[in-house]
Amino acid sequence: MNSTDQTPIPLVVTNACPETIWPGIGTQNGIGPGTGGFVLEARSSRKMFVSPNWQGRVWGRTNCSFNEEGTGPSNLNGVNGNGAACTTGDCFGRLDCQFTGQVPTTLAEFNLIGGVGGKQTFYDISLVDGYNLPLGIIYIPTKNTTFVPPNLTNCACIASSGYLGEPSRSGLAYTNDSFPIPYEAAQTNERVGSWCPWDLQKFPPSKPGDGIFPYPDDHIQRPIFDPCLSACSSTNNPRDCCTGEFNDPTICQPSLYSAQAKRVCPDAYSYAFDDQTSTFIIPTGGGWEVVFCPQGRSTNILEILGAELRALASGGKVTQEMLAAVTNKTYIELERPGRSGTGRLQPAQFLGFSLMTVGIMLVLA
C-alpha cells in the first residue's frame, strides 16, 4: 500500500480475559475508529476501521462502573474517591475517552504510515506508563502483505500470574507450525507475579495488623490483579522520565522497573530510550488486532529474529535466507549469550527503588 491509498485499515480489539474490560482508544493523527472507548465482554471482539495514516494507542480499563450516559462514574466519588470510573486506565470517568488513560496501563501503540515516504508501519507494546493487563498485537495481512511471516510481527507481553503458557523457547499461539514465535522461556505463573518492584505496586497487599511488613518481604502474597506503575509514572522525576538534563540516551539509564519489565516482556518498551529493543517496523499495509490476555507467553522476537525483521522493513520482501531463519525452530530456540528469559528475576520485592502456513504467499528474492 502506498502513502496515497485511502483504504480503511481494520482495527480489531479482542478481550480474551475471563472478565469484562473497557478498552480505550486514543488518536494522535488521522481518523480514528469513531469511538474512544466501549465495554467489551469476556471472550468477545469488536472490529473497527481507522485511516491509513492513523497514529494512536489502545489500552484496557478494568473494574469500571459508569452512569447510564457514560459521562461519569456510577457514583459521585467514583471507585477511588476522586471521580474515576475505573480502577486502572480511567479517562476522567468517561466511557468515551477523549485523552489517554490514567496510569498504570499496558499500551498498544501504532504509527501506520511512518518511515521515508510513509512506506513503513511502526508499532510497539509499551510499559513506559506501567502495566495493568496482558496484551498482544496480531498482524492482519492484506493481499500484498501475505508474505510477512507471523513470527516476525505477532508480539505479546504477559506479566500476570495465571496467564502464562508452559515455559518454552518458542510456541504457536497466533502463528502456525511453519513459523514458531520466539518466547521468553524462564518465567512461570508463580514467579511472574512478583516482577513489579514492591513500591511500584498500584494496589499493594494490606499491611499486617501491626502495620509492619516482615523483612525480607519477597514471600508476601501479592494480589492476583497487581498493576504496576513505571518508575516515571510513579515519581515524575527527570531521571526516571528521561526529561530535562536526562533527555539523552547516553545519560538516562534504565531503572530497576525497566530491568524487571524487560525480563518478563522482552519485546516491550520499558523506558523512554528503549526503542532499539522495542519497536516493530514492517512494510505498510494490513490491519491489526489488539488482544487482551492473549494465549502463549511473552514474545522475544526482536532479540532472536531482529535481524530478519530489520531486513524485511528495509527491503520490503522476504528473501530465501530470511525464510530459512524464521522457519528454523532449532535456530529460534538456540541458546544465545544473554538471551532474555534465561535468568531469574531480581528480588524486586525488597529493593526500594525503581522502567499461518508455509502455503502463504512468499515473495522470494
Side-chain angles (χ1 to χ4, degrees), residues 60-338:
R61 292 173 288 174
T62 58
N63 303 307
C64 301
S65 180
F66 296 96
N67 60 27
E68 291 185 3
E69 295 78 22
T71 57
S74 59
N75 65 78
L76 182 62
N77 295 321
V79 297
N80 63 351
N82 293 315
C86 308
T87 56
T88 61
D90 187 73
C91 301
F92 298 96
R94 298 181 63 90
L95 174 61
D96 190 355
C97 297
Q98 306 299 312
F99 305 97
T100 193
Q102 183 180 17
V103 298
T105 53
T106 315
L107 299 173
E109 300 182 309
F110 300 91
N111 177 3
L112 300 189
I113 189 166
V116 178
K119 295 181 179 181
Q120 295 172 324
T121 287
F122 295 71
Y123 65 99
D124 64 78
I125 297 173
S126 175
L127 306 185
V128 174
D129 287 342
Y131 172 92
N132 67 336
L133 287 170
L135 185 149
I137 299 177
I138 312 303
Y139 182 59
I140 305 172
T142 189
K143 289 182 179 180
N144 67 330
T145 61
T146 53
F147 64 88
V148 177
N151 61 349
L152 293 183
T153 60
N154 297 348
C155 54
C157 169
I158 305 175
S160 300
S161 294
Y163 293 94
L164 280 177
E166 290 299 314
S168 176
R169 295 184 185 275
S170 71
L172 300 176
Y174 308 105
T175 184
N176 58 73
D177 292 345
S178 301
F179 299 98
I181 295 180
Y183 280 166
E184 180 283 319
Q187 301 308 315
T188 63
N189 278 303
E190 179 181 10
R191 186 185 305 164
V192 77
S194 62
W195 75 269
C196 180
W198 181 267
D199 60 315
L200 297 181
Q201 295 175 95
K202 180 68 174 178
F203 308 114
S206 299
K207 292 184 178 181
D210 60 5
I212 301 174
F213 285 115
Y215 184 87
D217 50 22
D218 51 317
H219 295 299
I220 296 176
Q221 180 65 48
R222 297 190 180 203
I224 297 299
F225 179 59
D226 195 24
C228 187
L229 293 162
S230 67
C232 174
S233 64
S234 175
T235 68
N236 288 315
N237 187 299
R239 183 185 297 273
D240 292 324
C241 298
C242 301
T243 57
E245 64 179 297
F246 296 94
N247 187 19
D248 185 327
T250 64
I251 298 175
C252 193
Q253 299 300 308
S255 63
L256 172 63
Y257 167 84
S258 176
Q260 296 290 85
K262 212 65 179 173
R263 286 187 176 94
V264 295
C265 292
D267 281 334
Y269 251 104
S270 62
Y271 79 111
F273 291 121
D274 194 20
D275 53 304
Q276 294 299 314
T277 62
S278 311
T279 305
F280 286 76
I281 307 174
I282 66 169
T284 298
W288 302 94
E289 180 180 9
V290 177
V291 181
F292 293 98
C293 305
Q295 301 175 25
R297 297 181 59 83
S298 293
T299 58
N300 194 18
I301 297 169
L302 291 168
E303 181 178 353
I304 305 303
L305 297 176
E308 288 74 23
L309 184 60
R310 289 187 293 272
L312 172 65
S314 61
K317 60 185 178 181
V318 176
T319 66
Q320 294 273 14
E321 183 179 8
M322 292 165 57
L323 181 61
V326 301
T327 58
N328 188 330
K329 184 177 181 180
T330 301
Y331 171 75
I332 290 171
E333 295 190 347
L334 182 67
E335 177 70 45
R336 294 164 171 83

